[in-house]
Amino acid sequence: MYSAVAASPPRRDFISVTLSPEEAVGVGGYNNSKAWRRRSCWRKWKQLSRLQRSIILFLFAFLAVCGVISFTSMGEPWKSLTNKSLDEQRTEPEIPGLKLVNPAVLPAPQKADANAGDYPELSPQKQPKLPHIRRSPSNLQIKPPRRDVRLKTRHATSKIVEELVQADKEEKTEKSVISWRGAVIEPDQSTEPPSSKIKESEKPSSLEAEGQKEPVPINERQMAVIEAFRHAWKGYKDFAWGHDELKPLSKSYSEWFGLGLTLIDALDTMWILGLKEEFEEARIWVANDLIFDKNVDVNLFESTIRILGGLLSTYHLSGDSLFLEKAKDIGNRLMPAFKTPSKIPYSDVNIGRGTAHPPRWTSDSTVAEVTSIQLEFRELSRLTGDEKFKKAVDEVMKHVHTLSGKNDGLVPMFINTNSGQFTHLGVYTLGARADSYYEYLLKQWIQGGKKENELLEDYMRAIEGVKKHLLQRSQPKKLTFVGELAHGHFSAKMDHLVCFLPGTLALGAHNGLTADHMKLAEALIETCYQMYEQVETGLSPEIVHFNLHAQKGHKDVEIKPADRHNLLRPETVESLFYMYRFTGDKKYQDWGWEILQNFNKYTRVPTGGYTSINNVQNPSNPEPRDKMESFFLGETLNQV
């Protein structure tokens, strides 16, 4: 038993493996080296059959051929795209810090609460979003601020505004706004301002500017405006070419500055009306014959709005750098006017000698003249990058802002160039010598991106002053009009120039100011229309007086013999243009059409041109004056 068990073979609990010396670890065996991996792959390859190796080689060759074909077909488009991208980078205008497709003209306004600390009375409110004007007129829908803005004044005119404003108290809010004593300001979301100096590559060519808008059919009334312009231009071209103003009856001309005022004033109108042939003829004259190096005195205000403004607007429309260069030339030549002790500019400048002086009979300048050149000079600085123009006119506005002698925002008519103080205190009007001060307050505020609060403050105070001191209603139609105040005494006198105000009020309301401005604009434009409608020729006189008390057989409008002339002025038709664009109400178009027809009936000269007249109350003999003002082509026909 024992021997049998002992004889069985012993049990093994392990497996023995024998390696050849070259396969031993550390002596050429697997150690993950590149040499070992190459030998291993080659061994596997040799173990494959010849058929398998052929198939693999064929697949590799096929893939290589496909890759070459793909690269050939895609290489050329990729190369052209790369080259195009590089070319665009080379030609793209460089604006430091900005890459804009269409740089904004106006800087972006501040946020609604950006300046809340500047005015303790500012309070956040809500305002419905106002429509943005594109090509066609849009309906203006302005809601009043949360609380009705009512005039807290003892003056009787407060009732007029309260009756005009029928406030909608429902709160339908979309945007936060800020308020300044009744001003509701809607913060814009516009792009950042462009570089102060526009490079040549940024300026649109004439062809680009021309192709920005698709042509639209011209209706009968538009054709009539074009025909009226061509008739006026024919008289100027035939009898006054290159001179300041046409005398259509005598078929001659008159000179004021000897700088082709009518031609320059009409450039932008020709572009807008699409009169390419006439525009090109005028451009050639500007290029070859408009020379400012002349020993001649020019009025700073008139030359700014007619010559500098005309050149700048034409540059913006056409993109032609010729007009910007000419604008820069005249701008530099007007700068000596600001060399006064007070920085309030002189009224007259000799653009050849570089000297300036006040009028011969006084050392005063009119307030309207020194505060109605800012838009043009500020824009000249923006386009050229030369800040001296803007600095000069901004100093004037800052100085006027601090002056005493105002009456609830209303300014006197004169300011002394030596002392810098208002003179002839106590007389307040929105007519001649003060009118455009108020207009330019609002437009500068808009131009500057709605950030210059001093301008808005002065504008809002002035409108409140108008409501408090100058508004009255006539009899029998209860027309709301703007009179004058002289040493505490109200006069029911209203210049035709005051008819700028409805359009200005509407522009402010459209840019976010309080809704009662729009109500007042609607009332005043009705009055301005009645200044035409109630006159025998259908043309407004230069000045009217309104009846404050009902009298049998009397109209609202009374005209004195010295005031019954008509100078083809643009103020009413400009306000009608604004009112139609902002409201869409076609009655404003109809009123403008009536005015144009009356111009054609009583002021048109058969041989060419239009003439101002002496007597709007005599249809059979309106007594033509033999003078066509440059602004008839530059402004009146531009907006009628």
Side-chain angles (χ1 to χ4, degrees):
M1 205 49 198
Y2 175 79
S3 60
V5 173
S8 62
R11 183 180 177 180
R12 295 181 178 180
D13 295 329
F14 60 90
I15 297 175
S16 176
V17 178
T18 304
L19 299 175
S20 62
E22 64 272 15
E23 292 173 327
V25 176
V27 191
Y30 175 73
N31 61 358
N32 201 32
S33 68
K34 293 181 179 179
W36 189 91
R37 287 197 299 272
R38 283 195 296 270
R39 288 195 297 271
S40 177
C41 289
W42 177 250
R43 187 180 297 112
K44 294 292 184 181
W45 175 257
K46 296 297 291 183
Q47 291 176 355
L48 295 174
S49 67
R50 181 175 297 176
L51 177 63
Q52 290 173 323
R53 291 198 295 267
S54 299
I55 291 172
I56 292 172
L57 289 173
F58 173 77
L59 289 175
F60 274 111
F62 177 75
L63 291 174
V65 171
C66 291
V68 171
I69 294 173
S70 299
F71 178 80
T72 304
S73 61
M74 296 180 64
E76 287 302 320
W78 176 259
K79 182 178 180 181
S80 65
L81 285 173
T82 304
N83 292 339
K84 182 179 179 180
S85 177
L86 291 173
D87 291 340
E88 289 175 351
Q89 291 178 15
R90 292 190 200 101
T91 59
E92 182 181 4
E94 297 179 4
I95 304 176
L98 289 176
K99 289 185 178 180
L100 303 176
V101 178
N102 292 309
V105 173
L106 298 180
Q110 294 176 344
K111 299 296 182 181
D113 57 352
N115 292 312
D118 295 345
Y119 300 96
E121 61 269 48
L122 293 182
S123 58
Q125 300 183 34
K126 298 285 184 179
Q127 173 85 353
K129 184 177 180 181
L130 298 175
H132 178 66
I133 293 183
R134 301 296 284 177
R135 249 192 263 167
S136 59
S138 54
N139 292 325
L140 181 64
Q141 297 178 354
I142 307 174
K143 302 295 182 184
R146 290 180 179 177
R147 297 179 181 178
D148 292 344
V149 179
R150 298 192 180 276
L151 298 176
K152 298 179 180 180
T153 174
R154 291 172 293 179
H155 198 276
T157 56
S158 63
K159 296 180 180 179
I160 298 174
V161 179
E162 291 177 2
E163 292 173 6
L164 290 173
V165 181
Q166 298 176 351
D168 179 4
K169 296 182 180 180
E170 297 179 5
E171 295 184 9
K172 297 178 182 179
T173 59
E174 294 181 13
K175 269 190 170 183
S176 61
V177 296
I178 62 175
S179 169
W180 184 89
R181 298 183 186 177
V184 181
I185 309 164
E186 182 180 6
D188 288 349
Q189 299 297 326
S190 57
T191 56
E192 292 296 321
S195 169
S196 60
K197 185 172 183 179
I198 294 182
K199 296 185 178 181
E200 191 68 30
S201 59
E202 291 180 80
K203 301 169 187 174
S205 67
S206 298
L207 293 176
E208 291 173 342
E210 190 176 325
Q212 285 178 356
K213 292 186 178 181
E214 298 178 1
V216 295
I218 298 176
N219 61 39
E220 181 182 352
R221 290 184 177 182
Q222 290 170 327
M223 283 301 300
V225 175
I226 294 173
E227 192 280 329
F229 182 92
R230 279 186 164 143
H231 183 78
W233 186 252
K234 177 183 182 301
Y236 177 76
K237 181 180 177 182
D238 290 347
F239 310 123
W241 182 255
H243 298 284
D244 283 342
E245 292 172 332
L246 168 67
K247 299 176 71 174
L249 296 177
S250 57
K251 301 178 184 179
S252 59
Y253 59 85
S254 61
E255 294 286 31
W256 192 0
F257 308 143
L259 298 173
L261 284 184
T262 296
L263 187 149
I264 297 173
D265 224 353
L267 284 167
D268 54 354
T269 307
M270 284 185 278
W271 183 273
I272 292 169
L273 297 182
L275 302 177
K276 297 180 180 179
E277 182 179 337
E278 291 85 349
F279 180 86
E280 186 57 32
E281 284 181 321
R283 185 201 179 278
I284 293 172
W285 184 88
V286 171
N288 298 332
D289 300 306
L290 180 59
I291 299 171
F292 296 124
D293 189 12
K294 292 183 177 181
N295 180 19
V296 59
D297 281 1
V298 303
N299 178 273
L300 172 66
F301 167 70
E302 296 291 353
S303 56
T304 296
I305 64 172
R306 303 191 197 212
I307 300 175
L308 178 57
L311 292 169
L312 289 174
S313 60
T314 306
Y315 166 70
H316 277 293
L317 289 168
S318 68
D320 191 333
S321 60
L322 165 69
F323 301 107
L324 180 57
E325 290 303 314
K326 293 290 185 180
K328 184 177 179 181
D329 188 6
I330 187 64
N332 280 317
R333 293 175 183 276
L334 294 175
M335 288 302 291
F338 296 92
K339 295 179 180 179
T340 69
S342 65
K343 303 300 181 184
I344 299 297
Y346 290 128
S347 62
D348 297 284
V349 189
N350 188 300
I351 57 175
R353 294 180 177 177
T355 58
H357 58 84
R360 304 300 180 191
W361 58 90
T362 180
S363 59
D364 290 346
S365 290
T366 66
V367 172
E369 289 187 354
V370 302
T371 58
S372 302
I373 54 179
Q374 279 69 20
L375 292 175
E376 293 84 357
F377 274 81
R378 284 157 55 113
E379 181 62 7
L380 185 58
S381 277
R382 193 189 74 84
L383 292 173
T384 64
D386 191 338
E387 289 296 310
K388 70 180 179 184
F389 307 111
K390 181 179 186 299
K391 182 180 178 182
V393 295
D394 282 353
E395 282 184 358
V396 176
M397 296 308 300
K398 290 176 182 177
H399 179 77
V400 172
H401 174 74
T402 64
L403 285 181
S404 59
K406 299 176 185 175
N407 186 3
D408 292 318
L410 303 177
V411 296
M413 294 186 293
F414 297 97
I415 187 168
N416 189 274
T417 54
N418 294 320
S419 67
Q421 300 298 309
F422 289 131
T423 62
H424 300 78
L425 301 180
V427 179
Y428 304 97
T429 177
L430 264 69
R433 301 186 179 90
D435 52 344
S436 48
Y437 160 74
Y438 305 99
E439 176 189 0
Y440 269 50
L441 285 174
L442 175 70
K443 291 182 177 179
Q444 285 178 83
W445 176 68
I446 295 171
Q447 181 191 43
K450 305 179 184 178
K451 294 189 289 188
E452 296 162 285
N453 288 318
E454 287 183 352
L455 296 170
L456 176 63
E457 179 182 343
D458 287 345
Y459 176 73
M460 292 304 300
R461 281 181 175 160
I463 300 305
E464 294 304 304
V466 170
K467 295 175 183 178
K468 181 177 179 180
H469 299 291
L470 303 183
L471 279 190
Q472 284 284 8
R473 275 184 169 166
S474 67
Q475 295 295 335
K477 289 193 174 183
K478 300 186 182 299
L479 301 176
T480 301
F481 69 93
V482 179
E484 296 182 355
L485 194 67
H487 307 290
H489 298 287
F490 180 82
S491 170
K493 168 182 175 287
M494 179 170 163
D495 292 2
H496 182 274
L497 288 169
V498 181
C499 286
F500 83 90
L501 186 57
T504 300
L505 288 167
L507 180 63
H510 182 68
N511 278 275
L513 302 188
T514 181
D516 74 318
H517 283 200
M518 195 64 180
K519 292 293 183 182
L520 183 55
E522 291 170 352
L524 289 173
I525 193 60
E526 169 73 27
T527 303
C528 290
Y529 169 66
Q530 290 297 325
M531 290 167 62
Y532 286 77
E533 175 66 18
Q534 294 192 21
V535 179
E536 288 78 357
T537 59
L539 294 175
S540 173
E542 183 74 357
I543 300 170
V544 301
H545 289 76
F546 287 92
N547 287 315
L548 296 178
H549 307 286
Q551 302 178 55
K552 188 176 180 180
H554 286 257
K555 302 177 182 178
D556 297 74
V557 171
E558 296 285 346
I559 306 171
K560 296 184 177 181
D563 304 328
R564 59 190 183 187
H565 50 285
N566 180 288
L567 303 181
L568 313 174
R569 286 197 184 277
E571 287 76 23
T572 294
V573 294
E574 179 180 358
S575 285
L576 288 171
F577 172 82
Y578 278 120
M579 296 301 294
Y580 172 69
R581 295 289 287 183
F582 295 154
T583 68
D585 192 334
K586 290 190 175 181
K587 75 177 180 183
Y588 300 122
Q589 278 189 324
D590 295 338
W591 292 353
W593 176 244
E594 290 177 23
I595 292 171
L596 176 62
Q597 289 179 308
N598 291 326
F599 276 137
N600 278 329
K601 188 173 183 179
Y602 297 108
T603 70
R604 183 176 173 121
V605 178
T607 53
Y610 290 74
T611 180
S612 51
I613 57 177
N614 273 325
N615 192 348
V616 296
Q617 294 179 296
N618 189 348
S620 61
N621 181 20
E623 302 173 22
R625 282 191 164 193
D626 195 22
K627 183 177 183 180
M628 185 175 75
E629 300 278 356
S630 76
F631 52 67
F632 180 67
L633 281 76
E635 299 180 66
T636 307
L637 290 180
N638 198 325
Q639 298 163 109
V640 70

